[in-house]
Amino acid sequence: MAYVIVNDFEGGTKEQYDSTTAVVHPPGGLPAGQTHHYAGPSANGWVVVAVWESKEIWEKFRDETLLPVFQAGQSVLPGPPKTTEFEVEVEL
């Protein structure tokens, strides 16, 4: 079952998002196990929506890639974001 993460960065901007994505995404593509990625402005900042093949793949990326970038101060996005996570059925 696919897993969706919605991160709402209050006060976040496109420039901050672009800077962070350049560090956590491989050049020209998505991280392994991420199938879709959407981002854009919201009423209060910047929202990122990512679809992963599974919750376990998301958690591995979060713990081994994303959190270390935030902890090292390599991301300028304001945090922590308001996060919503849920499983989804994928129908083709």
Side-chain angles (χ1 to χ4, degrees):
M1 188 170 294
Y3 202 70
V4 176
I5 308 301
V6 180
N7 286 314
D8 186 355
F9 294 93
E10 186 173 341
T13 67
K14 179 179 186 334
E15 293 74 25
Q16 293 169 332
Y17 162 79
D18 288 342
S19 175
T20 301
T21 303
V23 177
V24 299
H25 281 195
L30 297 174
Q34 189 178 106
T35 61
H36 296 83
H37 185 97
Y38 309 97
S42 67
N44 66 343
W46 196 260
V47 174
V48 179
V49 179
V51 181
W52 295 86
E53 291 173 358
S54 70
K55 181 178 182 180
E56 293 75 25
I57 293 171
W58 151 245
E59 289 174 342
K60 181 176 182 189
F61 173 80
R62 179 195 64 202
D63 295 345
E64 296 178 8
T65 303
L66 192 58
L67 288 179
V69 164
F70 276 87
Q71 291 165 346
Q74 293 175 293
S75 172
V76 292
L77 279 166
K82 177 183 174 193
T83 301
T84 304
E85 303 181 20
F86 52 93
E87 291 184 322
V88 293
E89 295 287 335
V90 178
E91 295 188 30
L92 302 176

